[in-house]
Amino acid sequence: MKYFCGHMEAFFYAYRMGREAFDAAKVASITRIDDSLHRLDTFGLADLSSAGIRPPQAMEPGCLCNVGHDVGKHHVLVSGSVSRRASDTVVRHRWNTPIPHGGLLLVGSGIYMSSPEFIYLQLAGMLSDVQLALVGCWMCGKYRITIDESTGKEALQSVSPLTSPERLATFLGQAKGAYGLMRARRVLSLVAANTESPTETDMYAMTCFPRLLGGQGAPKATLNHEIKVVPEDAGILDRQNRTSWRIDMCWPELRKGVEYLGKQHATTPGEDRERMNSLVAKKYSILQYEYKHLVDERGRKRRIEQVCRLLGMESHESTSKEIKMQEQLDEELFGPAHFRL
């Protein structure tokens, strides 16, 4: 008996367990799903809890909460010849095409987990372009939301990226004829690596997603771009041991960037000012924003307009379709059913 985790519980497993769990697992040589657990009355034979597998609950961090009523159920990947019949606790998803090497990992006795790259491909068959791009940015990012046990409040934790745009491209190049492959490849061009917070991803999406997906169509930015200190910088350094600067969202060829002032910056205003002065001395133009500027609709529009002018983008009157897509992107990023990423 074999149990193949479907995309929903696989994504949530990836969110909770992190890159380390995948690195520690054994890569399976299976390229086709031909012997999966498909009888609902034998579902309980798989010891999922011991492998760290449980279905996500609505609005839990890491949960794709806006994909419908199937949140909270186990999602099983089955072969194409098996019925998709579901129960109150189990949803089955068929997969017909060969799985590229590295797509499945053994995480328990007879229990196989989709790799981050295979999760992305599976999600391409069910998510919109915007949703998939946001998921891709998180999978290639360096954070996750956790709950602080002492306060019960949400906190950001720095983690290793689950994957990278390069690894995703390699995997998709081997996934011949797979369902969702065209969308996965198309959206991959929008995925940016190295985001360190949901707020950075939000600003990136609003700025760099194409206008027909609700963004401003700005050139693709580099997130958390690193600028190395060179000997000529000795006279402008804000501290003598500095070896580099980072800009949250940067266009290096234009020497322009956008900085997010998170909560941690409230205690270091002097240091932040000196760091910005050093970058300005290196002829970088930097805009700054805070979280309150994004959750307020008027503040959000003002900041986006400022970024567009910073980049020298021509004024563009939005069409009715573009306005509708901007509203939809706003809902994805800030609405009550936004991704808990």
mmCIF file of all heavy atoms in Angstrom, residues 10-18 22 60-63 138 143-146 156 159 162 340-341:
data_model
loop_
_atom_site.group_PDB
_atom_site.id
_atom_site.type_symbol
_atom_site.label_atom_id
_atom_site.label_comp_id
_atom_site.label_asym_id
_atom_site.label_seq_id
_atom_site.Cartn_x
_atom_site.Cartn_y
_atom_site.Cartn_z
ATOM 1 N N ALA A 10 0.318 18.541 1.020
ATOM 2 C CA ALA A 10 1.753 18.629 0.736
ATOM 3 C C ALA A 10 2.249 20.062 0.909
ATOM 4 O O ALA A 10 3.325 20.300 1.463
ATOM 5 C CB ALA A 10 2.034 18.141 -0.686
ATOM 6 N N PHE A 11 1.463 21.041 0.450
ATOM 7 C CA PHE A 11 1.863 22.427 0.606
ATOM 8 C C PHE A 11 1.915 22.808 2.086
ATOM 9 O O PHE A 11 2.841 23.475 2.543
ATOM 10 C CB PHE A 11 0.903 23.354 -0.134
ATOM 11 C CG PHE A 11 1.300 24.807 -0.037
ATOM 12 C CD1 PHE A 11 2.196 25.343 -0.934
ATOM 13 C CD2 PHE A 11 0.800 25.620 0.958
ATOM 14 C CE1 PHE A 11 2.592 26.672 -0.846
ATOM 15 C CE2 PHE A 11 1.177 26.951 1.063
ATOM 16 C CZ PHE A 11 2.070 27.476 0.155
ATOM 17 N N PHE A 12 0.906 22.369 2.834
ATOM 18 C CA PHE A 12 0.875 22.708 4.251
ATOM 19 C C PHE A 12 2.022 22.023 4.996
ATOM 20 O O PHE A 12 2.626 22.609 5.901
ATOM 21 C CB PHE A 12 -0.465 22.281 4.854
ATOM 22 C CG PHE A 12 -0.660 22.732 6.265
ATOM 23 C CD1 PHE A 12 -0.576 24.071 6.598
ATOM 24 C CD2 PHE A 12 -0.935 21.827 7.266
ATOM 25 C CE1 PHE A 12 -0.754 24.503 7.897
ATOM 26 C CE2 PHE A 12 -1.116 22.239 8.573
ATOM 27 C CZ PHE A 12 -1.028 23.573 8.889
ATOM 28 N N TYR A 13 2.345 20.803 4.615
ATOM 29 C CA TYR A 13 3.500 20.099 5.188
ATOM 30 C C TYR A 13 4.772 20.901 4.916
ATOM 31 O O TYR A 13 5.603 21.097 5.801
ATOM 32 C CB TYR A 13 3.594 18.706 4.566
ATOM 33 C CG TYR A 13 4.813 17.905 4.958
ATOM 34 C CD1 TYR A 13 4.778 17.042 6.044
ATOM 35 C CD2 TYR A 13 5.990 17.973 4.217
ATOM 36 C CE1 TYR A 13 5.890 16.280 6.398
ATOM 37 C CE2 TYR A 13 7.107 17.227 4.558
ATOM 38 C CZ TYR A 13 7.047 16.384 5.648
ATOM 39 O OH TYR A 13 8.146 15.637 5.998
ATOM 40 N N ALA A 14 4.911 21.369 3.687
ATOM 41 C CA ALA A 14 6.094 22.155 3.324
ATOM 42 C C ALA A 14 6.171 23.434 4.147
ATOM 43 O O ALA A 14 7.249 23.847 4.588
ATOM 44 C CB ALA A 14 6.064 22.481 1.829
ATOM 45 N N TYR A 15 5.032 24.057 4.380
ATOM 46 C CA TYR A 15 5.014 25.300 5.148
ATOM 47 C C TYR A 15 5.455 25.055 6.582
ATOM 48 O O TYR A 15 6.235 25.821 7.141
ATOM 49 C CB TYR A 15 3.607 25.889 5.134
ATOM 50 C CG TYR A 15 3.556 27.332 5.588
ATOM 51 C CD1 TYR A 15 3.500 28.361 4.659
ATOM 52 C CD2 TYR A 15 3.587 27.674 6.934
ATOM 53 C CE1 TYR A 15 3.473 29.688 5.052
ATOM 54 C CE2 TYR A 15 3.568 28.993 7.345
ATOM 55 C CZ TYR A 15 3.508 29.990 6.400
ATOM 56 O OH TYR A 15 3.497 31.309 6.800
ATOM 57 N N ARG A 16 4.947 23.995 7.192
ATOM 58 C CA ARG A 16 5.249 23.731 8.597
ATOM 59 C C ARG A 16 6.648 23.157 8.797
ATOM 60 O O ARG A 16 7.359 23.520 9.727
ATOM 61 C CB ARG A 16 4.228 22.758 9.190
ATOM 62 C CG ARG A 16 2.840 23.342 9.384
ATOM 63 C CD ARG A 16 1.961 22.388 10.173
ATOM 64 N NE ARG A 16 1.793 21.124 9.477
ATOM 65 C CZ ARG A 16 2.317 19.974 9.886
ATOM 66 N NH1 ARG A 16 3.060 19.925 10.964
ATOM 67 N NH2 ARG A 16 2.102 18.861 9.197
ATOM 68 N N MET A 17 7.047 22.229 7.925
ATOM 69 C CA MET A 17 8.272 21.464 8.149
ATOM 70 C C MET A 17 9.519 22.139 7.580
ATOM 71 O O MET A 17 10.622 21.933 8.086
ATOM 72 C CB MET A 17 8.125 20.065 7.555
ATOM 73 C CG MET A 17 6.889 19.316 8.046
ATOM 74 S SD MET A 17 6.907 19.003 9.824
ATOM 75 C CE MET A 17 8.052 17.637 9.888
ATOM 76 N N GLY A 18 9.360 22.891 6.487
ATOM 77 C CA GLY A 18 10.488 23.621 5.933
ATOM 78 C C GLY A 18 11.394 22.793 5.034
ATOM 79 O O GLY A 18 11.219 21.578 4.860
ATOM 80 N N PHE A 22 12.607 18.170 3.599
ATOM 81 C CA PHE A 22 12.776 17.628 2.254
ATOM 82 C C PHE A 22 14.214 17.171 2.018
ATOM 83 O O PHE A 22 14.458 16.162 1.362
ATOM 84 C CB PHE A 22 12.361 18.675 1.212
ATOM 85 C CG PHE A 22 10.890 18.966 1.211
ATOM 86 C CD1 PHE A 22 10.386 20.024 1.948
ATOM 87 C CD2 PHE A 22 10.010 18.190 0.492
ATOM 88 C CE1 PHE A 22 9.034 20.300 1.970
ATOM 89 C CE2 PHE A 22 8.655 18.444 0.497
ATOM 90 C CZ PHE A 22 8.158 19.508 1.238
ATOM 91 N N GLU A 60 -5.404 29.027 9.013
ATOM 92 C CA GLU A 60 -4.175 28.695 9.724
ATOM 93 C C GLU A 60 -2.989 29.160 8.890
ATOM 94 O O GLU A 60 -3.031 29.066 7.657
ATOM 95 C CB GLU A 60 -4.118 27.190 9.953
ATOM 96 C CG GLU A 60 -2.981 26.715 10.826
ATOM 97 C CD GLU A 60 -3.121 25.251 11.212
ATOM 98 O OE1 GLU A 60 -4.061 24.601 10.760
ATOM 99 O OE2 GLU A 60 -2.256 24.780 11.964
ATOM 100 N N PRO A 61 -1.915 29.672 9.507
ATOM 101 C CA PRO A 61 -0.752 30.083 8.708
ATOM 102 C C PRO A 61 -0.276 28.955 7.797
ATOM 103 O O PRO A 61 -0.155 27.808 8.216
ATOM 104 C CB PRO A 61 0.289 30.426 9.774
ATOM 105 C CG PRO A 61 -0.506 30.865 10.946
ATOM 106 C CD PRO A 61 -1.724 29.966 10.936
ATOM 107 N N GLY A 62 -0.032 29.288 6.549
ATOM 108 C CA GLY A 62 0.388 28.281 5.591
ATOM 109 C C GLY A 62 -0.753 27.624 4.868
ATOM 110 O O GLY A 62 -0.551 26.764 4.014
ATOM 111 N N CYS A 63 -1.970 28.047 5.184
ATOM 112 C CA CYS A 63 -3.143 27.423 4.572
ATOM 113 C C CYS A 63 -3.572 28.206 3.345
ATOM 114 O O CYS A 63 -3.686 29.429 3.393
ATOM 115 C CB CYS A 63 -4.283 27.364 5.589
ATOM 116 S SG CYS A 63 -5.851 26.797 4.925
ATOM 117 N N TRP A 138 6.448 32.952 -2.360
ATOM 118 C CA TRP A 138 6.664 32.467 -0.999
ATOM 119 C C TRP A 138 7.580 31.233 -0.996
ATOM 120 O O TRP A 138 8.486 31.123 -0.178
ATOM 121 C CB TRP A 138 5.347 32.100 -0.307
ATOM 122 C CG TRP A 138 5.634 31.510 1.027
ATOM 123 C CD1 TRP A 138 5.972 32.197 2.159
ATOM 124 C CD2 TRP A 138 5.752 30.131 1.343
ATOM 125 N NE1 TRP A 138 6.272 31.310 3.171
ATOM 126 C CE2 TRP A 138 6.140 30.046 2.700
ATOM 127 C CE3 TRP A 138 5.542 28.961 0.621
ATOM 128 C CZ2 TRP A 138 6.329 28.828 3.347
ATOM 129 C CZ3 TRP A 138 5.733 27.741 1.264
ATOM 130 C CH2 TRP A 138 6.124 27.684 2.610
ATOM 131 N N TYR A 143 10.936 33.213 4.564
ATOM 132 C CA TYR A 143 10.195 33.433 5.802
ATOM 133 C C TYR A 143 9.001 32.484 5.872
ATOM 134 O O TYR A 143 8.598 31.872 4.882
ATOM 135 C CB TYR A 143 9.680 34.874 5.882
ATOM 136 C CG TYR A 143 8.466 35.094 4.998
ATOM 137 C CD1 TYR A 143 7.175 34.917 5.492
ATOM 138 C CD2 TYR A 143 8.603 35.438 3.651
ATOM 139 C CE1 TYR A 143 6.069 35.070 4.673
ATOM 140 C CE2 TYR A 143 7.512 35.597 2.838
ATOM 141 C CZ TYR A 143 6.239 35.410 3.344
ATOM 142 O OH TYR A 143 5.150 35.548 2.532
ATOM 143 N N ARG A 144 8.432 32.376 7.068
ATOM 144 C CA ARG A 144 7.123 31.783 7.258
ATOM 145 C C ARG A 144 6.496 32.414 8.497
ATOM 146 O O ARG A 144 7.202 32.950 9.355
ATOM 147 C CB ARG A 144 7.183 30.265 7.402
ATOM 148 C CG ARG A 144 7.891 29.764 8.647
ATOM 149 C CD ARG A 144 7.863 28.251 8.704
ATOM 150 N NE ARG A 144 8.811 27.744 9.696
ATOM 151 C CZ ARG A 144 9.405 26.569 9.616
ATOM 152 N NH1 ARG A 144 9.167 25.781 8.598
ATOM 153 N NH2 ARG A 144 10.241 26.171 10.555
ATOM 154 N N ILE A 145 5.179 32.351 8.565
ATOM 155 C CA ILE A 145 4.452 32.895 9.704
ATOM 156 C C ILE A 145 4.348 31.826 10.783
ATOM 157 O O ILE A 145 3.957 30.693 10.502
ATOM 158 C CB ILE A 145 3.048 33.352 9.292
ATOM 159 C CG1 ILE A 145 3.137 34.435 8.201
ATOM 160 C CG2 ILE A 145 2.279 33.890 10.495
ATOM 161 C CD1 ILE A 145 1.799 34.812 7.614
ATOM 162 N N THR A 146 4.716 32.167 12.008
ATOM 163 C CA THR A 146 4.597 31.247 13.131
ATOM 164 C C THR A 146 3.791 31.926 14.237
ATOM 165 O O THR A 146 3.493 33.119 14.172
ATOM 166 C CB THR A 146 5.973 30.852 13.678
ATOM 167 O OG1 THR A 146 6.662 32.043 14.120
ATOM 168 C CG2 THR A 146 6.814 30.174 12.598
ATOM 169 N N LEU A 156 7.139 36.510 12.303
ATOM 170 C CA LEU A 156 7.862 36.027 11.128
ATOM 171 C C LEU A 156 9.104 35.270 11.560
ATOM 172 O O LEU A 156 9.833 35.713 12.445
ATOM 173 C CB LEU A 156 8.265 37.187 10.221
ATOM 174 C CG LEU A 156 7.183 37.837 9.366
ATOM 175 C CD1 LEU A 156 7.802 38.897 8.475
ATOM 176 C CD2 LEU A 156 6.432 36.814 8.538
ATOM 177 N N VAL A 159 13.638 31.443 7.341
ATOM 178 C CA VAL A 159 13.843 30.046 6.967
ATOM 179 C C VAL A 159 14.573 29.988 5.629
ATOM 180 O O VAL A 159 14.684 30.979 4.915
ATOM 181 C CB VAL A 159 12.503 29.286 6.859
ATOM 182 C CG1 VAL A 159 11.781 29.250 8.200
ATOM 183 C CG2 VAL A 159 11.613 29.918 5.788
ATOM 184 N N LEU A 162 12.204 27.041 0.109
ATOM 185 C CA LEU A 162 11.826 25.678 -0.263
ATOM 186 C C LEU A 162 12.410 25.294 -1.610
ATOM 187 O O LEU A 162 12.784 24.146 -1.846
ATOM 188 C CB LEU A 162 10.304 25.542 -0.319
ATOM 189 C CG LEU A 162 9.563 25.423 1.011
ATOM 190 C CD1 LEU A 162 8.070 25.517 0.774
ATOM 191 C CD2 LEU A 162 9.913 24.106 1.697
ATOM 192 N N ARG A 340 -2.764 32.802 3.547
ATOM 193 C CA ARG A 340 -2.061 32.920 4.823
ATOM 194 C C ARG A 340 -0.602 32.568 4.605
ATOM 195 O O ARG A 340 -0.084 31.581 5.133
ATOM 196 C CB ARG A 340 -2.710 32.000 5.857
ATOM 197 C CG ARG A 340 -4.167 32.325 6.133
ATOM 198 C CD ARG A 340 -4.316 33.554 6.999
ATOM 199 N NE ARG A 340 -3.905 33.246 8.361
ATOM 200 C CZ ARG A 340 -3.635 34.140 9.272
ATOM 201 N NH1 ARG A 340 -3.686 35.415 8.983
ATOM 202 N NH2 ARG A 340 -3.279 33.788 10.495
ATOM 203 N N LEU A 341 0.073 33.359 3.805
ATOM 204 C CA LEU A 341 1.464 33.110 3.455
ATOM 205 C C LEU A 341 2.370 34.205 4.017
ATOM 206 O O LEU A 341 3.544 34.191 3.736
ATOM 207 C CB LEU A 341 1.628 33.024 1.936
ATOM 208 C CG LEU A 341 0.819 31.923 1.253
ATOM 209 C CD1 LEU A 341 0.990 32.036 -0.257
ATOM 210 C CD2 LEU A 341 1.244 30.552 1.728
#
